């Protein structure tokens, strides 16, 4: 009897221990995924929050000091993030002490991957350069908590930005409807209009030609550059058109192809070769308009109007070509920034000879450029290591980082050193009264300890960027920004209505396949494109075989994945 009882007891004890271990494991798992704050205004939870937090929008954020550990890069130009002037200001303003988990900036991505995979991560990722796949992966795993309710209840500045900036919400909302990370919104007018073509206006004037407005006129101008000795040295050394895939939008074909059909392959590794028409995704590089664009580009190349080196040279080669002495030999350059070729000051006055060509009208009346506005990655995430109170404090701190006051102080440091409020009569880039004026650094040192240099989430709108004092003479040594914005004014009215939207999420289950197909398709299209342009393949004889070759590259699946992403746009 005793033996039977002992056996029964042992079995019961074993069951109880197993149950305890299971409950402990469940408790441990739950502890790493704190309950989401709901903003409920009743009960003990609300009372506790009222005792800890100030009213939303007021400071400090917490009534008693709170510590939150944050992951961020350590820039070599910043002396010490703990003693940094902006860190101290932020901690005093919010009553939140930052415990830094810093990594050298050039090792950030590797450390981030290891940290998230191992589970050894802090409560907040302040700056993680989180791509969309990472946001979805770690969001769905529960490592990153959804921010939707936190934003609704505690972040009025972030909420306003999402309402004001047309592309923001769709760019940060995952296919499951959750927001897992916050971006640095850095609106840049000339960046959005980056697909530019610069042309030698001094040569145009000498030859009595106007800035071209159509593809036919552009061809005639390049032909004149080649044949009529515009640099006046008696030599046939002029290079009508050049570029480099290594430069920002330096691809010689994209600017011109957009006069026939949308081409978003602007530089090495970029581009989808897709368009969206009435909500339907379509591949462009097998269309008749694409073929016509290739025929036009082949004509330019065949007649020596495109630099053969444009398909292989790097950005340094462009600079050497542009500054060749004694005579300028460069006619037109495809790139977002003419500063790739020249230093924008009186030391290199040749830059003043160049103006931007507006989007050209093609033979079928197509006249468009690309709009690069959008958000491709994010900076800030709250992890499941954060308590509910830390979650609220962290989102409120991020909300402060979206204010203009924070942006000024973290980028430029305290008022009076590198910036001051604009004086009466100081004009901004649009010729209106400026709000802020930057102070030139007469004794610039390699390091400083005054600010964060744009670490973390923030909001720099077009209006904010335009509010700084700017030279009215766009050809002055410090007038380059004004010049770029004036060019953008010419380009903005021609934004394509068929461009596939920037910054959309690809569903996590599709992301790997989409990346593989995109790379394979891109390599195939670009390789054939170069061969058609240079004439190593005959566009008329080999076109059908090229189009047929796309069938074996999973084009159907590619279109389905991107159609799904477009349909899930929030």
């Amino acid at each position: 009897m005793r033996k039977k009882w002992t056996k029964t007891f042992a079995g019961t004890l074993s069951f109880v221990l197993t149950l305890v271990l299971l409950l402990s494991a469940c408790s441990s798992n739950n502890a790493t995924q704190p309950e989401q704050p709901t903003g409920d205004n009743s009960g003990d939870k609300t009372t506790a929050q009222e005792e800890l937090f100030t009213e939303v929008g007021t400071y400090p954020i917490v009534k008693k000091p709170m510590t939150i550990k944050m992951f961020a890069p350590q820039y070599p130009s910043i002396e010490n993030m703990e003693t940094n002037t902006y860190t101290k200001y932020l901690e005093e303003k919010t009553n939140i002490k930052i415990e830094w988990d810093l990594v050298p900036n050039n090792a950030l991505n590797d450390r981030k991957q290891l940290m998230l995979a191992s589970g050894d991560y802090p409560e907040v990722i302040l700056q993680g350069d989180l791509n969309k796949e990472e946001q979805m992966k770690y969001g769905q795993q529960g490592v990153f908590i959804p921010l939707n309710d936190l934003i609704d209840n505690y972040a009025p500045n972030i909420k306003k930005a999402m309402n004001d900036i047309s592309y923001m919400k769709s760019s940060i909302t995952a296919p499951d409807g959750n927001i897992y990370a916050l971006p640095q919104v850095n609106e840049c007018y000339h960046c959005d209009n980056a697909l530019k073509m610069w042309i030698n206006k001094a040569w145009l004037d000498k030859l009595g030609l106007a800035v071209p407005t159509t593809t036919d006129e552009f061809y005639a101008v390049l032909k004149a550059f080649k044949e009529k000795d515009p640099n006046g040295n008696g030599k046939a050394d002029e290079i009508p058109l050049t570029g480099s895939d290594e430069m920002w939008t330096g691809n010689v074909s994209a600017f011109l192809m957009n006069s026939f059909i949308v081409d978003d392959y602007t530089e090495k590794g970029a581009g989808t070769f897709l368009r969206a028409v009435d909500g339907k995704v379509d591949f462009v590089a097998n269309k008749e308009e694409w073929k016509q664009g290739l025929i036009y580009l082949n004509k330019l190349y065949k007649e020596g109007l495109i630099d053969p080196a444009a398909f292989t040279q790097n950005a340094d080669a462009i600079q050497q070509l542009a500054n060749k002495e004694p005579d300028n030999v460069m006619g037109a350059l495809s790139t977002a920034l003419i500063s790739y070729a020249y230093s924008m000051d009186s030391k290199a006055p040749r830059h003043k000879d160049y103006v931007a060509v507006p989007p050209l009208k093609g033979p079928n009346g197509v006249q468009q450029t690309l709009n690069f506005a959008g958000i491709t990655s994010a900076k800030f995430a709250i992890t499941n290591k954060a308590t509910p109170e830390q979650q609220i404090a962290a989102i409120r701190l991020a909300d402060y980082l979206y204010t203009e006051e924070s942006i000024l102080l973290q980028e430029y440091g305290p008022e009076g050193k590198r910036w001051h409020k604009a004086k009466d009569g100081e004009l901004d880039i649009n010729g209106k009264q400026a709000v802020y004026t930057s102070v030139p650094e007469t004794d610039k040192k390699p390091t400083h300890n005054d600010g964060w240099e744009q670490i973390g989430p923030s909001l720099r709108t077009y209006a904010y960027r335009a509010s700084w004092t700017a030279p009215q003479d766009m050809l002055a040594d410090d007038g380059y920004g004004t010049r770029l914005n004036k060019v953008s004014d010419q380009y903005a009215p021609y934004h394509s209505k068929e461009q596939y939207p920037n910054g959309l999420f690809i569903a996590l289950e599709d992301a790997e396949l989409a990346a593989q197909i995109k790379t394979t398709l891109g390599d195939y299209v670009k390789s054939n494109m170069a061969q058609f342009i240079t004439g190593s393949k005959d566009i008329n004889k080999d076109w059908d075989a090229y189009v047929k070759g796309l069938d074996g590259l999973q084009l159907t699946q590619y279109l389905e994945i991107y159609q799904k992403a477009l349909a899930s746009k929030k």
Side-chain angles (χ1 to χ4, degrees):
M1 184 77 174
R2 178 177 176 81
K3 185 176 179 182
K4 183 177 180 182
W5 179 89
T6 302
K7 185 175 181 181
T8 303
F9 174 78
T12 304
L13 181 60
S14 176
F15 172 76
V16 170
L17 286 172
T18 302
L19 182 61
V20 168
L21 287 171
L22 285 170
L23 289 172
S24 175
C26 290
S27 174
S28 175
N29 287 339
N30 288 337
T32 63
Q33 298 185 44
E35 178 184 355
Q36 286 293 297
T38 62
D40 190 343
N41 292 320
S42 62
D44 295 339
K45 189 176 181 182
T46 301
T47 302
Q49 289 179 5
E50 288 175 350
E51 290 176 355
L52 180 59
F53 294 100
T54 61
E55 184 181 349
V56 172
T58 63
Y59 301 93
I61 289 171
V62 286
K63 297 175 182 178
K64 297 178 182 179
M66 175 188 288
T67 298
I68 301 178
K69 192 172 185 179
M70 300 188 186
F71 176 80
Q74 173 65 64
Y75 289 158
S77 53
I78 298 177
E79 293 168 9
N80 189 313
M81 288 296 283
E82 289 187 7
T83 62
N84 187 274
T85 302
Y86 181 70
T87 300
K88 291 297 183 184
Y89 173 83
L90 187 64
E91 290 178 337
E92 182 177 343
K93 185 176 184 70
T94 64
N95 219 5
I96 298 170
K97 165 71 176 174
I98 299 174
E99 181 183 345
W100 290 107
D101 182 359
L102 297 171
V103 59
N105 188 47
N106 58 5
L108 184 140
N109 192 58
D110 289 343
R111 170 67 185 281
K112 171 190 66 177
Q113 300 282 2
L114 179 62
M115 177 182 74
L116 292 171
S118 68
D120 184 19
Y121 46 81
E123 294 92 17
V124 167
I125 310 294
L126 180 67
Q127 177 156 316
D129 292 341
L130 303 164
N131 63 39
K132 295 188 181 301
E133 186 176 353
E134 289 169 336
Q135 292 171 50
M136 289 187 292
K137 175 182 177 181
Y138 294 109
Q140 292 179 13
Q141 287 181 4
V143 174
F144 297 161
I145 67 166
L147 303 178
N148 307 50
D149 290 343
L150 287 168
I151 292 170
D152 280 344
N153 294 324
Y154 305 106
N157 295 312
I158 298 171
K159 194 172 181 179
K160 183 177 186 302
M162 288 168 58
N163 289 329
D164 292 348
I165 299 170
S166 60
Y167 55 82
M168 183 175 172
K169 187 174 182 181
S170 64
S171 294
I172 64 175
T173 304
D176 63 7
N178 286 321
I179 296 169
Y180 294 112
L182 295 173
Q184 179 187 98
V185 180
N186 196 0
E187 293 189 316
C188 168
Y189 199 29
H190 77 264
C191 308
D192 296 347
N193 298 282
L195 188 58
K196 301 183 185 76
M197 177 72 73
W198 301 87
I199 197 163
N200 194 323
K201 181 70 161 52
W203 286 9
L204 290 175
D205 292 344
K206 182 172 182 179
L207 299 176
L209 300 171
V211 175
T213 60
T214 68
T215 51
D216 286 345
E217 290 176 4
F218 188 70
Y219 163 77
V221 162
L222 296 185
K223 196 166 179 62
F225 283 176
K226 180 178 175 60
E227 297 174 351
K228 297 188 176 180
D229 191 26
N231 66 10
N233 65 2
K235 303 175 185 176
D237 57 354
E238 289 84 358
I239 297 175
L241 170 61
T242 193
S244 166
D245 266 13
E246 286 196 359
M247 295 189 306
W248 185 14
T249 68
N251 184 334
V252 293
S253 61
F255 179 89
L256 297 171
M257 187 63 83
N258 272 280
S259 297
F260 296 84
I261 194 171
V262 172
D263 177 9
D264 63 357
Y265 194 100
T266 55
E267 57 212 72
K268 191 174 183 179
T272 62
F273 297 107
L274 297 174
R275 62 179 174 180
V277 182
D278 297 327
K280 183 174 176 56
V281 177
D282 187 28
F283 191 68
V284 297
N286 57 0
K287 298 296 181 292
E288 178 62 25
E289 299 96 324
W290 188 268
K291 180 181 179 182
Q292 294 305 313
L294 291 176
I295 291 172
Y296 175 78
L297 287 160
N298 171 250
K299 177 182 177 182
L300 299 185
Y301 187 89
K302 189 164 55 179
E303 297 189 23
L305 307 183
I306 295 178
D307 182 4
F311 299 95
T312 56
Q313 67 191 351
N314 59 25
D316 289 341
I318 291 291
Q319 195 169 70
Q320 292 171 15
L321 177 70
N323 292 282
K324 188 175 180 180
E325 295 292 349
D327 304 304
N328 190 6
V329 298
M330 190 174 73
L333 175 66
S334 174
T335 180
L337 304 171
I338 190 66
S339 51
Y340 272 111
Y342 301 108
S343 58
M344 305 306 291
D345 54 36
S346 54
K347 295 176 185 176
R350 276 185 191 171
H351 76 86
K352 298 180 182 181
D353 290 343
Y354 291 83
V355 298
V357 179
L360 298 171
K361 184 178 288 187
N364 299 318
V366 176
Q367 188 175 19
Q368 63 186 350
T369 189
L370 303 179
N371 177 13
F372 293 95
I375 297 167
T376 56
S377 64
K379 304 292 183 185
F380 173 97
I382 301 174
T383 76
N384 56 15
K385 299 287 182 73
T387 65
E389 292 75 23
Q390 287 176 320
Q391 294 173 25
I392 295 172
I395 200 70
R396 285 189 59 181
L397 184 142
D399 194 60
Y400 174 69
L401 297 180
Y402 268 70
T403 65
E404 197 162 291
E405 176 185 81
S406 169
I407 293 160
L408 269 170
L409 297 177
Q410 72 105 313
E411 185 172 7
Y412 292 98
E415 182 178 4
K417 190 172 182 179
R418 295 173 55 209
W419 70 279
H420 60 74
K421 296 225 175 78
K423 300 171 184 176
D424 286 345
E426 289 185 322
L427 304 181
D428 66 19
I429 209 159
N430 296 313
K432 299 177 181 178
Q433 173 62 43
V435 180
Y436 309 108
T437 299
S438 61
V439 177
E441 295 182 70
T442 54
D443 184 24
K444 190 172 183 179
K445 298 177 181 178
T447 62
H448 69 88
N449 213 31
D450 286 335
W452 284 3
E453 296 185 13
Q454 300 188 18
I455 285 175
S458 57
L459 176 66
R460 290 168 182 79
T461 62
Y462 297 124
Y464 167 75
R465 289 173 66 99
S467 67
W468 287 77
T469 297
Q472 301 306 292
D473 179 2
M474 64 182 184
L475 294 181
D477 281 1
D478 55 352
Y480 186 39
T482 304
R483 184 177 181 182
L484 289 174
N485 266 36
K486 296 294 184 187
V487 170
S488 295
D489 286 340
Q490 302 174 40
Y491 279 53
Y494 299 103
H495 286 167
S496 173
K497 294 179 175 58
E498 296 186 350
Q499 181 182 354
Y500 188 86
N502 297 311
L504 293 189
F505 280 86
I506 301 296
L508 188 58
E509 64 271 18
D510 298 329
E512 186 176 351
L513 179 60
Q516 291 172 356
I517 300 175
K518 180 181 175 184
T519 299
T520 304
L521 276 173
D523 290 346
Y524 179 79
V525 172
K526 285 304 294 180
S527 173
N528 278 274
M529 193 173 190
Q531 292 175 76
F532 284 136
I533 292 172
T534 59
S536 60
K537 277 190 176 181
D538 187 300
I539 186 70
N540 292 310
K541 291 180 180 178
D542 299 322
W543 174 257
D544 290 343
Y546 155 73
V547 171
K548 187 173 180 55
L550 290 165
D551 295 339
L553 301 178
Q554 297 177 283
L555 179 58
T556 300
Q557 293 96 316
Y558 185 66
L559 289 169
E560 288 173 352
I561 289 170
Y562 277 87
Q563 183 68 56
K564 180 178 173 183
L566 185 64
S568 69
K569 182 179 177 181
K570 306 296 179 182

